[in-house]
Amino acid sequence: MSQPRHALSFRPGTPIYGIGVPGLAWRVERGSVRLDGNGTPGEARFASLALPGDIIGSEAMLFGTYAFAASALTECELSPWPEGAASARSGSLLRSLATAQRRAADLVALRGGEAVRRVIGLIRIMANSNDDAAQHVVLPTRQDIADITALRLETVSRIIKRLERDGMLQPVRIDGVHATRSFAVDFGRLAV
Amino acid sequence: MSQPRHALSFRPGTPIYGIGVPGLAWRVERGSVRLDGNGTPGEARFASLALPGDIIGSEAMLFGTYAFAASALTECELSPWPEGAASARSGSLLRSLATAQRRAADLVALRGGEAVRRVIGLIRIMANSNDDAAQHVVLPTRQDIADITALRLETVSRIIKRLERDGMLQPVRIDGVHATRSFAVDFGRLAV
DNA sequence: CGAGCACTTGATCTATGTCAACGGTAGTGG
DNA sequence: CCACTACCGTTGACATAGATCAAGTGCTCG
């Protein structure tokens, strides 16, 4: 209906846009977004991860429609991009290109090597994307982590439980109940 | 055909540029290029793959120096980018951004799922990058394929030998000797 | 209250990693 | 020309990280 001149919020798991539909490009302001290409029968196949500062859906500026589907991994907030006509200039695009390439390289690293390293790598990336000096992460579901790291959800579950026991992750308590996706992180406790 | 002005050629395995050094951005005209970030002690860690049409080193336009090292996977040819001042405008950059994202999604797919599928996926990508109607590929070394697909070179070797036996790959003969990296490809022979 | 998620945990299987040996080819220097 | 070395690729035997199958818990939502 009304053009979203301001930021939009999405709850974890919510679809943001689908493949092939027309729309705008967005800038991720808070939270994390998952992009999916179409797999075998139309099944969603993980394609990329977007964190605060990343631009998503820019292909729609070129082709008119989205080439990937987007959904919220964690609670997140998006604002239309570019903000003003002026910022569509080379500088801004060049910067987006550079961060996209860096993000892609990080993603590649998350899908090779020992399983524990991959999960820790993802936690590190998501924690860093947070400005907080006090390290704190909100992770996606175990299944989403599994899709990102090319592992199985059972494996991810076991690994995260182990990191909790080792003290690297401390589940946030809400009314005495352990959250399953919110953690205080202590990267010092790595070399166990 | 005349060569594009000032295009450079590189032999397989040759370094193109290193991390942290100043330089230009390039467009891959022919062949394939591997990009590496710095791993643990300065070891090269595979970060990305560039094929004809891709732009590499654009981050140097922004920061002055390369963020990744580049080396030739196969015989390849690069030309400085952008060619003219005019083409540095939004259209060209937007296009680069879109292809970079698509390439990144492909790469992610190459690092998950069954080993055979990954290798076939890479072969398909490299064969498509070739304009030839007659399907023909020149692959990188087994080790490079292993780095790209996050497998081990022994595994890659076994898989490729199997694809040869299944008839999907037919090694090119030169003076009666089988080449180890040049193949005629028959994707029809997949469902074996 | 029941259904459906999201997560955990155990037992077992297997695709792929690891280790090791060997052959071919290209390059290099005498 | 012939060693000699350095890669690159192949192949076998064996080990294991992670997948797979299965069962059960507790939350949330309607």
Side-chain angles (χ1 to χ4, degrees):
Chain A
M1 297 306 183
S2 65
Q3 277 292 335
R5 359 176 356 209
H6 300 304
L8 294 183
S9 290
F10 297 86
R11 315 244 51 165
T14 320
I16 297 174
Y17 54 75
I19 297 190
V21 307
L24 306 168
W26 303 85
R27 182 187 140 97
V28 180
E29 302 292 348
R30 289 189 321 108
S32 51
V33 172
R34 145 178 198 164
L35 300 178
D36 286 281
N38 34 14
T40 8
E43 279 300 305
R45 206 185 46 181
F46 174 75
S48 188
L49 174 69
L51 295 173
D54 290 359
I55 307 300
I56 63 173
S58 62
E59 71 274 14
M61 295 171 66
L62 197 57
F63 307 117
T65 59
Y66 296 117
F68 299 97
S71 55
L73 282 171
T74 60
E75 171 99 39
C76 70
E77 196 175 296
L78 309 183
S79 58
W81 187 88
E83 295 178 352
S87 55
R89 297 195 172 278
S90 326
S92 178
L93 273 168
L94 207 46
R95 199 165 296 272
S96 301
L97 184 54
T99 69
Q101 283 174 355
R102 198 172 287 264
R103 177 77 59 230
D106 288 345
L107 258 195
V108 160
L110 289 182
R111 305 189 117 229
E114 198 191 354
V116 197
R117 294 277 156 204
R118 301 192 209 174
V119 176
I120 292 178
L122 178 60
I123 294 173
R124 177 163 264 141
I125 289 177
M126 301 199 78
N128 283 350
S129 81
N130 212 331
D131 302 346
D132 288 337
Q135 292 283 38
H136 183 265
V137 237
V138 179
L139 297 178
T141 66
R142 304 289 185 268
Q143 180 60 63
D144 281 323
I145 297 178
D147 291 343
I148 296 169
T149 54
L151 296 167
R152 294 296 162 162
L153 73 89
E154 296 95 327
T155 306
V156 172
S157 178
R158 283 185 244 264
I159 288 175
I160 289 183
K161 257 287 170 287
R162 184 145 86 76
L163 294 179
E164 288 181 31
R165 282 191 275 266
D166 292 354
M168 200 195 102
L169 293 180
Q170 182 143 16
V172 166
R173 282 176 156 269
I174 304 172
D175 286 328
V177 211
H178 292 275
T180 66
R181 297 178 211 163
S182 284
F183 300 90
V185 199
D186 179 1
F187 287 114
R189 303 246 193 155
L190 261 178
V192 178
Chain B
M1 297 295 180
S2 65
Q3 296 259 339
R5 280 207 310 163
H6 302 123
L8 294 182
S9 290
F10 297 87
R11 316 245 50 169
T14 320
I16 297 175
Y17 55 73
I19 297 190
V21 307
L24 307 168
W26 303 86
R27 184 186 138 97
V28 180
E29 302 291 348
R30 288 189 321 106
S32 50
V33 173
R34 153 181 188 159
L35 300 178
D36 286 281
N38 34 15
T40 8
E43 280 302 304
R45 204 186 46 181
F46 174 76
S48 189
L49 173 68
L51 295 174
D54 291 0
I55 306 300
I56 63 173
S58 61
E59 70 275 12
M61 296 171 65
L62 198 56
F63 307 117
T65 59
Y66 296 118
F68 300 97
S71 56
L73 281 172
T74 60
E75 171 101 37
C76 69
E77 195 176 295
L78 309 183
S79 58
W81 187 86
E83 295 177 354
S87 55
R89 296 195 174 277
S90 325
S92 179
L93 272 168
L94 208 45
R95 202 165 293 274
S96 301
L97 184 54
T99 68
Q101 284 174 355
R102 201 173 286 265
R103 179 76 60 230
D106 288 345
L107 258 195
V108 160
L110 290 182
R111 306 189 116 229
E114 199 190 353
V116 198
R117 295 277 156 203
R118 300 191 210 176
V119 175
I120 292 178
L122 179 60
I123 294 172
R124 178 161 265 141
I125 289 177
M126 300 198 78
N128 283 352
S129 82
N130 212 335
D131 302 345
D132 288 334
Q135 291 282 37
H136 183 264
V137 236
V138 181
L139 297 177
T141 66
R142 303 290 184 269
Q143 180 60 61
D144 280 322
I145 297 178
D147 291 344
I148 295 170
T149 55
L151 297 168
R152 294 295 162 164
L153 74 91
E154 295 95 330
T155 306
V156 172
S157 179
R158 283 184 245 262
I159 288 175
I160 289 183
K161 259 284 169 290
R162 184 144 88 75
L163 294 179
E164 287 182 30
R165 282 190 276 264
D166 292 353
M168 200 195 101
L169 293 180
Q170 183 142 14
V172 165
R173 284 177 155 270
I174 304 173
D175 288 327
V177 212
H178 293 275
T180 66
R181 297 178 210 164
S182 284
F183 300 91
V185 199
D186 179 2
F187 287 114
R189 303 246 193 155
L190 260 179
V192 178

